[in-house]
């Protein structure tokens, strides 16, 4: 039986380098846990990529940094730095973004404000609301104190005085507090007694009572001065005045007319003559011809009396008036 000895040998290893685009990066926050305003915070972005990726940090559409090591560092973080962050890793094979990382920065109450409702003058007996608000993370709790007292008057964001009295007037302050700090703000509350309101109403009524007769007198006086004398029962002035202007001279030349209608008498010469073809209606219309005598005279000093001039006056004017129209056959 023949025996054979097998001999094994190993070749040297060969490295195969496979390039690829970055894998989705991961984000870490240091220190971990709660982030307090004023502390130092670092965000780190890392991903698997070949060749090595470069990194950029974003907050919304705003580019914050482009660092090769993928770090975003806050020396003293502020409450304004709260928000969502993400990083982007890329090489010449591609790019990819991380998921959003919310950076929660805690801080003591800020921007504390107090208000009173209703605003303006407050009369006792009405309900009054004192309101306190602030910006805080975590949310603040509120307590209301009256100046000089250690025990709070009320707790909560709104302090309501249901039946207010003048004794409630004074200085109040609101305290907003969370585990990161506290902040106070003061408010001066003034509640007017009812008697002052009654005095104000009485003064107003007195002013109105005094002003009413004066206003009525002025209105009546204005009305009388705006009316013509004839409407106020006054007699018109009949005093004759000499014309002083050209317009008055023209008014002084006004003439008064007296018109007389006279039935025409039949002329014996033409009484039996009738034009051929003239209808009976035409004869009747001619018989209805009337004459008008118009007399003009200078106006007398009294416009109420008129004087009729005789027909033989040389200034008389005669006109022939025909009724209807004459039809000829």
């Amino acid at each position: 039986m023949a025996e054979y000895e097998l001999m094994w040998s190993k070749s040297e290893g060969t490295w195969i380098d496979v390039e690829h685009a970055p894998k989705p990066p991961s984000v870490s926050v240091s220190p971990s846990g709660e982030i307090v305003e004023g502390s130092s915070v670092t965000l780190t972005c890392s991903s698997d990529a070949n060749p090595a990726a470069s990194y950029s940090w974003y907050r919304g559409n705003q580019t914050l940094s482009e660092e090769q090591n993928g770090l975003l560092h806050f020396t003293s973080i502020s409450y304004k730095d709260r928000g969502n962050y993400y990083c982007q890793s890329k090489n010449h094979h591609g790019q990819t973004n991380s998921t959003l990382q919310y950076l929660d920065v805690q801080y003591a109450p800020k921007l504390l404000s107090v208000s009173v409702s209703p605003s303006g003058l407050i009369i006792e007996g009405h309900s009054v609301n004192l309101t306190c608000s602030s910006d805080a993370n975590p949310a603040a709790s509120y307590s209301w104190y009256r100046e000089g007292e250690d025990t709070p008057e009320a707790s909560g964001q709104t302090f309501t005085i249901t039946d207010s009295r003048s004794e409630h007037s004074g200085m109040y302050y609101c305290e907003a507090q969370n585990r990161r700090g506290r902040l106070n703000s003061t408010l001066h509350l003034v509640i007017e007694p009812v008697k002052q309101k009654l005095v104000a109403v009485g003064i107003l009524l007195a002013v109105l009572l005094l002003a009413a007769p004066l206003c009525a007198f002025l209105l009546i006086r204005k009305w009388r001065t705006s009316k013509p004398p004839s409407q106020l029962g006054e007699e018109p002035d009949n005093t004759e005045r000499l014309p002083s202007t050209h317009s008055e001279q023209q008014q002084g030349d006004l003439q008064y007319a007296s018109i007389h209608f006279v039935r025409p008498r039949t002329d014996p010469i033409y009484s039996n003559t009738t034009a051929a073809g003239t209808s009976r209606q035409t004869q009747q219309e001619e018989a209805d011809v009337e004459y008008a005598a118009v007399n003009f005279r200078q106006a007398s000093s009294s416009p109420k009396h008129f004087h009729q001039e005789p027909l033989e006056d040389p200034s008389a004017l005669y006109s022939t008036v025909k009724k209807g129209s004459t039809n000829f056959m």
Side-chain angles (χ1 to χ4, degrees):
M1 183 175 179
E3 294 182 0
Y4 296 93
E5 183 177 355
L6 297 177
M7 302 293 295
W8 295 91
S9 63
K10 297 180 179 179
S11 65
E12 294 182 359
T14 301
W15 174 257
I16 299 176
D17 188 16
V18 180
E19 294 186 353
H20 59 87
K23 303 298 182 182
S26 61
V27 176
S28 61
V29 181
S30 178
S32 60
E34 295 180 347
I35 300 174
V36 181
E37 185 180 32
S39 61
S40 176
V41 179
T42 301
L43 304 181
T44 303
C45 181
S46 60
S47 69
D48 180 12
N50 187 22
S54 60
Y55 300 95
S56 299
W57 279 98
Y58 298 89
R59 182 182 179 184
N61 295 326
Q62 180 184 4
T63 302
L64 300 177
S65 69
E66 296 180 356
E67 299 290 342
Q68 188 67 31
N69 55 11
L71 300 179
L72 178 62
H73 182 68
F74 297 92
T75 304
S76 177
I77 199 165
S78 168
Y79 75 100
K80 297 180 180 180
D81 295 323
R82 287 183 304 165
N84 288 310
Y85 294 79
Y86 71 92
C87 72
Q88 181 185 82
S89 61
K90 63 181 178 180
N91 60 16
H92 60 268
H93 292 294
Q95 63 185 31
T96 184
N97 296 336
S98 69
T99 58
L100 292 176
Q101 175 67 45
Y102 181 71
L103 202 59
D104 187 24
V105 180
Q106 296 186 358
Y107 51 94
K110 300 178 182 294
L111 307 176
L112 185 62
S113 64
V114 292
S115 61
V116 57
S117 177
S119 59
L121 182 64
I122 302 175
I123 306 299
E124 62 180 2
H126 293 77
S127 178
V128 180
N129 293 322
L130 307 181
T131 304
C132 187
S133 61
S134 69
D135 181 14
N137 186 29
S141 59
Y142 301 92
S143 299
W144 286 93
Y145 295 85
R146 191 166 184 175
E147 189 178 32
E149 298 182 2
D150 297 332
T151 304
E153 294 281 333
S155 60
Q157 192 168 2
T158 301
F159 172 31
T160 301
I161 304 175
T162 305
D163 185 16
S164 63
R165 300 186 304 275
S166 59
E167 292 80 9
H168 290 131
S169 300
M171 190 71 69
Y172 292 81
Y173 70 91
C174 169
E175 182 180 81
Q177 179 181 4
N178 64 9
R179 65 175 181 269
R180 300 302 174 189
R182 63 181 62 191
L183 187 63
N184 296 332
S185 182
T186 59
L187 171 68
H188 187 213
L189 180 64
V190 177
I191 300 176
E192 298 292 341
V194 176
K195 61 180 182 180
Q196 293 189 9
K197 180 180 180 182
L198 294 177
V199 170
V201 173
I203 293 174
L204 179 61
L205 291 176
V207 171
L208 292 177
L209 291 175
L210 292 175
L214 179 60
C215 294
F217 172 76
L218 293 176
L219 289 175
I220 294 173
R221 183 177 180 181
K222 182 179 180 181
W223 176 77
R224 286 183 175 177
T225 55
S226 63
K227 290 291 183 179
S230 60
Q231 296 185 11
L232 294 177
E234 298 178 0
E235 292 295 331
D237 187 5
N238 294 327
T239 304
E240 182 178 359
R241 294 180 299 174
L242 293 177
S244 60
T245 63
H246 178 69
S247 176
E248 294 178 352
Q249 181 64 34
Q250 289 179 346
Q251 293 178 0
D253 293 337
L254 291 178
Q255 305 290 331
Y256 294 90
S258 177
I259 302 175
H260 304 274
F261 294 91
V262 180
R263 173 71 64 177
R265 290 178 292 183
T266 305
D267 192 339
I269 300 175
Y270 302 100
S271 60
N272 296 324
T273 303
T274 304
T278 303
S279 65
R280 182 178 181 181
Q281 181 180 2
T282 304
Q283 296 175 2
Q284 181 65 31
E285 289 176 351
E286 292 177 353
D288 293 336
V289 173
E290 293 181 349
Y291 295 89
V294 182
N295 299 328
F296 295 88
R297 65 182 295 275
Q298 183 70 27
S300 63
S301 60
S302 176
K304 296 182 180 179
H305 303 285
F306 299 91
H307 177 68
Q308 183 175 357
E309 296 290 342
L311 293 176
E312 291 77 13
D313 194 317
S315 62
L317 299 179
Y318 296 89
S319 63
T320 301
V321 179
K322 288 186 179 182
K323 296 183 179 180
S325 59
T326 304
N327 296 325
F328 296 94
M329 299 300 293

